[in-house]
Amino acid sequence: MAVSTETTKEKEEGEVIVRGQGWYMKLRALGSCATIIARLTIPAILATYNVWLRSQRLILHKISTQINYAITSLSITLRFQTIGVYLVEAKSRLKPLIWTETSRMALDPTEDVKDIFCEVLHDPGPDQTKADVIFIHGLKGSLYKTWKQGLWDTNNKSDIRWIKLNSSNDNEEQFESNEDQSMGQNEPYFEPDDDPSIPGEYSKCWPKDWLPMDCPGVRIIAVNYSTDPFLWKPFWIPAQQRLPMNERAREMMSLLLELGVGSRPIVWVGHSKGGLFVKQMLVHACESENPADIAICCQSKAILFYSVPHRGSPLASIDLPLLTRSIELREVMADSLEVQYLQEKFQYLINSNLLQVKIKSFIETKLTLMTILYLRIVSVQSADLGIGELYGVPLDHRDICKPKNRYCFLYRELVSLIHSVVTLPNQQRSSTRHQRAIVATVSATLKHE
């Protein structure tokens, strides 16, 4: 029994071993098959993956290239459109100088635009009119942009401190060296409660609102002309047809003659290039054989220049890449032939007494903010006509023609100039100042007694 039991156990153990060897052989066969399959399929899978990955890289590279190209193109376009903002004049702090609201006009050079027109701001009537006062603005100016009331502030003072300059080549140094000594002495008397320009009565056009009160009997005329929207024009913008300065001055004279200018005394007021138009018209009038033109020359009694570039502007001489200057800008380049020739002719008329006028000139002594740069538009040497009185005023080119109120030096000198050459009826006087004069006279009399 014992022997049979051991034999049975040995048989069972042998069967287990055989069964285990069978499973081992099967697993080994499966491993061999898996290895063969892996060796056959994995290279194909890897090759397929590499091909797919390479195609994805090409797609991503193309997308990246297109994005970079678009960004580069946009950057170049923006640089071209804003290059004038960093180098030239503009209209305001927020608007590029060469891309203005009227830029659309330049896209259609055939558009019919009224180039020059005259507007009568005040007319006392044919029987009451004793003189004509004519205002002409400069480049990029207009009636309600150039001749509006000033909002500048000079250290909270009621009026500006000015200095009278001599007609010489050293005016820049003269102003800087004499500014502290002379300014305080020339400041006119003023009291805030005597200021007629109280809040709520802001003047959008001070010649229209103020001169009829202080100079009754004068007819006030404004000459307006359009300006090329691009002083520095991108080369791809079609150019507008513009007449040169002498031809436009003749058109202005024709319009003024239609209004009857020349039949009574004339006082001219010009800002910037507007002053050059005044000189050009007077040269035409004095050289003409037409009696109506000659009458304008003979009736011209006074001129007030607000920062007029008699010898050109250095700013207009800037030549920018990919931009072309308009004819209006080229005419006022520093020491340009047109400006020099006009200055020589005008001086000859004055020196030969063919033109007898009283002249006053104001010049800015502060730099003008052109978007992001402070630039000098008209230098003291260029504004010095060499004739008449010259005053340096610590304002920029935009504010030099904008009096702060009716007692501002910039305005009172014009009123004084008009009264000095024209006899006006019922000349208005400030009641407050008249009372001061009476009190001063009485006080002096009592003191003398």
Side-chain angles (χ1 to χ4, degrees), residues 159 176 382 435:
D159 199 4
E176 294 176 357
S382 181
Q435 292 174 3

Side-chain angles (χ1 to χ4, degrees), residues 4 16 19 55 78 106-107 135 166 176 181 185 193 204 222 271 276-277 286 308 318 320 344 382 391 447:
S4 60
V16 171
R19 195 179 299 117
S55 63
L78 292 177
L107 300 178
F135 291 81
N166 296 324
E176 294 176 357
Q181 292 84 354
Q185 301 172 3
D193 58 359
K204 296 181 179 179
H271 172 244
L276 298 182
F277 279 117
C286 294
V308 175
I318 298 177
L320 302 176
E344 292 174 0
S382 181
Y391 297 91
K447 184 177 181 180

Side-chain angles (χ1 to χ4, degrees), residues 153-434:
D153 185 15
T154 55
N155 299 325
N156 297 321
K157 291 185 178 293
S158 59
D159 199 4
I160 49 178
R161 293 185 171 187
W162 50 271
I163 180 172
K164 187 174 182 179
L165 304 176
N166 296 324
S167 294
S168 66
N169 294 327
D170 300 325
N171 279 327
E172 293 276 7
E173 293 78 5
Q174 178 188 351
F175 179 83
E176 294 176 357
S177 61
N178 296 339
E179 181 176 5
D180 295 335
Q181 292 84 354
S182 302
M183 282 186 171
Q185 301 172 3
N186 294 329
E187 189 173 1
Y189 181 78
F190 176 84
E191 288 184 359
D193 58 359
D194 197 23
D195 182 8
S197 303
I198 60 175
E201 294 185 359
Y202 174 80
S203 175
K204 296 181 179 179
C205 181
W206 60 263
K208 179 180 180 180
D209 297 335
W210 297 350
L211 279 181
M213 293 186 289
D214 297 311
C215 299
V218 300
R219 182 174 61 161
I220 306 168
I221 302 173
V223 178
N224 301 279
Y225 60 94
S226 61
T227 307
D228 196 319
F230 298 99
L231 296 182
W232 282 265
K233 180 181 68 65
F235 68 90
W236 61 85
I237 300 295
Q240 279 190 320
Q241 297 297 325
R242 294 284 180 182
L243 294 175
M245 181 169 59
N246 59 343
E247 294 297 329
R248 301 186 87 181
R250 292 184 187 275
E251 290 188 7
M252 293 178 183
M253 279 186 59
S254 299
L255 294 176
L256 292 174
L257 289 174
E258 292 177 2
L259 295 176
V261 174
S263 60
R264 55 182 67 91
I266 305 171
V267 177
W268 301 88
V269 182
H271 172 244
S272 193
K273 192 176 181 180
L276 298 182
F277 279 117
V278 171
K279 293 167 60 179
Q280 189 69 70
M281 281 190 284
L282 291 177
V283 169
H284 286 330
C286 294
E287 294 180 346
S288 175
E289 297 181 357
N290 184 2
D293 295 342
I294 297 175
I296 290 181
C297 176
C298 296
Q299 291 287 8
S300 295
K301 303 300 181 182
I303 308 174
L304 182 61
F305 292 120
Y306 287 110
S307 285
V308 175
H310 299 290
R311 294 170 179 81
S313 171
L315 182 64
S317 301
I318 298 177
D319 192 8
L320 302 176
L322 302 179
L323 299 175
T324 58
R325 285 169 291 186
S326 66
I327 183 175
E328 298 162 324
L329 200 61
R330 294 196 301 270
E331 289 174 336
V332 294
M333 291 190 304
D335 297 324
S336 68
L337 295 179
E338 293 86 349
V339 171
Q340 288 183 0
Y341 189 53
L342 177 61
Q343 174 67 8
E344 292 174 0
K345 279 191 171 184
F346 188 78
Q347 281 190 327
Y348 171 76
L349 294 177
I350 297 294
N351 296 334
S352 60
N353 291 326
L354 295 176
L355 179 63
Q356 299 180 3
V357 292
K358 188 174 183 179
I359 299 176
K360 289 187 179 182
S361 301
F362 294 137
I363 173 60
E364 79 250 20
T365 58
K366 285 190 174 182
L367 301 180
T368 303
L369 178 61
M370 309 301 294
T371 305
I372 61 172
L373 298 177
Y374 282 92
L375 303 173
R376 185 170 298 282
I377 308 300
V378 180
S379 65
V380 175
Q381 287 83 359
S382 181
D384 185 2
L385 181 63
I387 305 168
E389 301 175 3
L390 178 66
Y391 297 91
V393 183
L395 295 174
D396 62 21
H397 191 71
R398 295 190 185 97
D399 290 333
I400 191 69
C401 57
K402 297 176 176 60
K404 191 173 183 179
N405 48 57
R406 284 173 57 200
Y407 287 92
C408 177
F409 171 74
L410 296 172
Y411 174 73
R412 297 307 302 179
E413 284 299 309
L414 173 60
V415 174
S416 174
L417 184 63
I418 295 173
H419 284 290
S420 67
V421 297
V422 180
T423 302
L424 300 177
N426 301 324
Q427 294 183 357
Q428 183 177 353
R429 294 288 186 268
S430 170
S431 60
T432 306
R433 291 198 172 190
H434 184 59

Side-chain angles (χ1 to χ4, degrees), residues 33-96:
C33 292
T35 301
I36 294 172
I37 293 173
R39 288 179 178 178
L40 294 175
T41 58
I42 288 178
I45 293 173
L46 291 176
T48 304
Y49 175 75
N50 288 331
V51 172
W52 177 83
L53 185 61
R54 190 180 299 111
S55 63
Q56 294 299 314
R57 288 177 179 175
L58 290 175
I59 293 174
L60 292 175
H61 178 70
K62 290 181 179 180
I63 294 175
S64 176
T65 302
Q66 293 296 327
I67 292 175
N68 291 334
Y69 176 76
I71 293 175
T72 303
S73 300
L74 179 61
S75 175
I76 294 174
T77 302
L78 292 177
R79 287 180 183 178
F80 280 150
Q81 290 182 351
T82 59
I83 187 172
V85 174
Y86 298 97
L87 299 174
V88 197
E89 167 195 355
K91 251 177 131 176
S92 66
R93 297 185 182 183
L94 301 178
K95 292 182 181 179

